[in-house]
Amino acid sequence: MRFSKKSVRAFVVAMIFAMIFSSAAFAAGKTAYLTSKNWEPNVKKVINQMFDMYGKNSKGYDPNCKPYAVFDFDNTVSINDVGQETYFYMFERLRFAAKPERMYTLLTTGIPDVNMDLGEKWGHLTVAKVARDAAKAYKKLYDKGYVAPDNSKESKMKEWIDSDDWKEFATKVWWLHDAIVSSYSTAIGYPWTSYLFEGMTRAQVQQLALESHKLSHERQLKDPTQWKKIKWQSPDSKKYPSEAGQLTIKHNNSVTVTPEMQELLVCLEENGIDVWFCSASYLDVICATVPAWNLKGVDGITAMTNKEKGGVLTNEYDYDLHPQTEGPGKVATVDKIIRPLYKGRGPIFGAGDSQGDFNFQTEYKDTAVVLVVNRVRKDDEGLLASVAMYQNKKGIDLPAAKKQGDIRVVLQGRNENGGWFWPTTATMSVGKTEPATLTSKAQGWLETMEKGTSVKDMINNCVALTGSQKKYDGYKTK
């Protein structure tokens, strides 16, 4: 799948024709249900009720304007972040097209003040200092002939991985990623990494991502113990002089899709419900997951997208196509790209895991079910986790939630030390030995609902409760 600015428009037209001419395919057949034993029981029950109430065999189903689902991708469809894993693969194999004289510019693109003191947490360093170190190391790697946008240099990979130049470059670029997201905002940090694709074609990015996705999935099947944190460290500044000194970062290793998530996508398709991915990772990286993991039933993808010049990517986000696909930007993107295909209706189902998904999961009147993949959050997604636990405890099924005017939120746990779902709401985070379901804050929100505060009032009060966003447009208002 390839969705450039032109191909997105062509794809939209293709989908309209597909909805018109494929209606007969959804006129008959049995309802498909989730059957895996690793779904949390309430998740399986409620989603299967959704298939009965809104699928192709339901009363009022319109095959010419089907219901649709919207999924976040990283840590929702996948376990771990496919975008980040692709960048790690890119660093390890030095798959870049950027000229060395451009690297400092790429690493500082979009940063409001590159000389701002990042504070004690980040060693009182600045983006400018660390970016200069990384750019110098990149030039050395480039001048040695190690860098290419394809795999033509990979026979020398062991040479550069063992070199101080590579350790300096890879560590400090990813240190910048973590520091920028933490010190500025996700709105700045999320597109920032994509600027490293400058000079590459979309086909080259998709090929890079395809290789990365396949490798990670194969590793998962062969060695479940590889789910852990990996440490990168730049050289000792005494033997490798630098402005920022020696830095260390850690990142999660590997990424995969669970059989349960694959089952859900297939069931949605078989029940005549369209599936869209709306991701804060880069578009071509997400598109590559479809062939890499053989994902069925995907009807469209929206994600971060940069402008092109002369057939290659630039360090400029393409706001002409749609807003950044995170937080409220996901709602704006659904409104601009997806809703017009469905007569202005919102999604019937929304799946996510973090703050960036809360808005599109809660703001649409048409949304009946929300799946939260539990990452034990204390932000707005953690608030949704507490809603799910409240509805579970009260025995509220989908028909009852609909009667109350509420979305039925369900909570799925997983084991991040092995990369799989399990039939509980609790999650075992990477490196932990005990699973957890709610943070202390989320437990407090659950207790507030048990004392009588409605789901609607809790969600509408999210700004005051979590402080994770400055404004919220309202529960089931669109």
Side-chain angles (χ1 to χ4, degrees):
M1 281 196 199
R2 184 183 171 195
F3 294 89
S4 66
K5 185 174 180 180
K6 290 182 180 178
S7 63
V8 165
R9 290 178 181 138
F11 178 69
V12 165
V13 174
M15 268 206 63
I16 293 171
F17 280 105
M19 287 190 289
I20 293 171
F21 292 113
S22 66
S23 60
F26 297 96
K30 294 182 179 179
T31 301
Y33 296 111
L34 299 179
T35 61
S36 172
K37 295 179 181 179
N38 288 327
W39 287 111
E40 192 276 332
N42 289 288
V43 174
K44 184 190 296 186
K45 175 184 176 181
V46 169
I47 292 178
N48 285 340
Q49 287 177 329
M50 179 183 73
F51 295 148
D52 286 330
M53 294 171 65
Y54 299 99
K56 65 184 179 182
N57 293 320
S58 64
K59 184 179 180 181
Y61 177 83
D62 182 359
N64 293 314
C65 187
K66 296 182 284 184
Y68 67 97
V70 177
F71 286 75
D72 167 59
F73 199 92
D74 295 306
N75 274 305
T76 300
V77 176
S78 65
I79 292 186
N80 281 349
D81 190 306
V82 296
Q84 292 186 12
E85 189 71 15
T86 300
Y87 290 117
F88 302 144
Y89 186 90
M90 182 183 185
F91 290 139
E92 288 175 345
R93 287 156 180 79
L94 289 178
R95 298 274 282 272
F96 295 86
K99 300 297 184 184
E101 60 269 22
R102 290 285 299 162
M103 185 52 67
Y104 176 80
T105 298
L106 299 183
L107 296 177
T108 55
T109 298
I111 308 303
D113 180 2
V114 297
N115 295 306
M116 182 184 82
D117 186 326
L118 297 176
E120 185 177 353
K121 179 180 178 181
W122 303 102
H124 293 289
L125 291 169
T126 67
V127 167
K129 280 186 178 180
V130 182
R132 282 193 291 266
D133 285 348
K136 288 177 183 177
Y138 179 76
K139 185 178 188 306
K140 293 177 183 178
L141 294 164
Y142 191 94
D143 290 346
K144 289 176 181 177
Y146 290 151
V147 179
D150 55 27
N151 63 4
S152 60
K153 309 290 187 179
E154 287 188 19
S155 62
K156 298 181 179 181
M157 182 173 163
K158 189 176 187 309
E159 289 180 28
W160 69 63
I161 286 286
D162 290 337
S163 74
D164 284 344
D165 294 331
W166 182 84
K167 293 172 185 175
E168 177 82 348
F169 171 65
T171 301
K172 289 191 173 176
V173 172
W174 205 252
W175 185 97
L176 280 171
H177 166 271
D178 290 352
I180 288 167
V181 170
S182 172
S183 304
Y184 295 90
S185 68
T186 55
I188 292 171
Y190 281 6
W192 176 86
T193 44
S194 71
Y195 304 144
L196 295 171
F197 291 139
E198 183 182 85
M200 297 177 75
T201 66
R202 291 197 180 279
Q204 287 173 329
V205 175
Q206 286 191 33
Q207 178 60 34
L208 171 75
L210 183 70
E211 294 171 21
S212 176
H213 303 338
K214 284 184 174 180
L215 176 65
S216 294
H217 197 48
E218 289 167 3
R219 266 197 320 226
Q220 155 71 0
L221 296 174
K222 293 177 182 177
D223 181 19
T225 64
Q226 46 82 37
W227 289 82
K228 56 190 175 184
K229 287 190 176 290
I230 300 294
K231 183 172 81 171
W232 285 353
Q233 188 172 53
S234 64
D236 186 333
S237 56
K238 291 180 181 179
K239 65 172 184 174
Y240 193 100
S242 64
E243 288 188 64
Q246 188 174 41
L247 299 177
T248 301
I249 60 102
K250 290 184 178 181
H251 62 80
N252 289 339
N253 187 53
S254 201
V255 66
T256 194
V257 61
T258 65
E260 290 72 35
M261 191 57 69
Q262 290 174 310
E263 178 189 40
L264 175 55
L265 297 177
V266 168
C267 283
L268 285 162
E269 179 185 36
E270 291 184 358
N271 286 306
I273 300 173
D274 285 344
V275 170
W276 284 77
F277 296 155
C278 187
S279 173
S281 279
Y282 198 72
L283 177 64
D284 297 293
V285 170
I286 300 302
C287 288
T289 63
V290 177
W293 294 346
N294 194 28
L295 301 180
K296 304 294 186 183
V298 182
D299 295 281
I301 299 171
T302 58
M304 295 287 197
T305 313
N306 291 351
K307 290 187 174 182
E308 296 175 69
K309 185 177 182 180
V312 298
L313 294 167
T314 69
N315 63 328
E316 183 181 2
Y317 188 86
D318 192 352
Y319 289 104
D320 295 335
L321 183 58
H322 57 67
Q324 289 185 30
T325 39
E326 56 96 20
K330 287 193 176 185
V331 173
T333 299
V334 169
D335 288 348
K336 183 176 183 180
I337 301 295
I338 305 175
R339 282 180 78 182
L341 298 175
Y342 299 90
K343 299 180 180 178
R345 295 187 308 185
I348 202 73
F349 176 86
D353 72 285
S354 65
Q355 179 62 41
D357 308 318
F358 173 81
N359 296 80
F360 88 81
Q361 290 177 297
T362 60
E363 292 183 13
Y364 291 106
K365 294 177 182 177
D366 295 308
T367 302
V369 178
V370 157
L371 170 64
V372 175
V373 178
N374 194 5
R375 291 179 62 212
V376 198
R377 311 275 300 193
K378 56 184 178 182
D379 55 13
D380 289 340
E381 199 73 4
L383 178 58
L384 284 184
S386 69
V387 170
M389 293 303 293
Y390 169 78
Q391 292 175 320
N392 287 354
K393 286 188 173 185
K394 292 293 184 180
I396 298 171
D397 62 5
L398 181 54
K402 183 180 180 181
K403 186 175 181 180
Q404 294 171 1
D406 282 324
I407 295 167
R408 180 48 163 107
V409 185
V410 290
L411 185 65
Q412 176 64 47
R414 65 188 191 181
N415 186 340
E416 296 178 357
N417 291 316
W420 58 72
F421 280 0
W422 52 14
T424 176
T425 56
T427 283
M428 182 93 75
S429 300
V430 172
K432 301 292 185 182
T433 57
E434 294 292 333
T437 301
L438 299 177
T439 63
S440 58
K441 279 189 175 182
Q443 183 62 40
W445 300 328
L446 170 59
E447 291 168 3
T448 299
M449 282 182 281
E450 289 175 334
K451 292 176 182 176
T453 302
S454 70
V455 168
K456 178 181 178 180
D457 287 345
M458 290 295 292
I459 291 176
N460 276 331
N461 198 31
C462 63
V463 173
L465 290 173
T466 73
S468 297
Q469 54 184 331
K470 293 180 180 179
K471 65 183 289 290
Y472 174 61
D473 285 349
Y475 178 55
K476 294 178 77 69
T477 55
K478 292 184 183 295

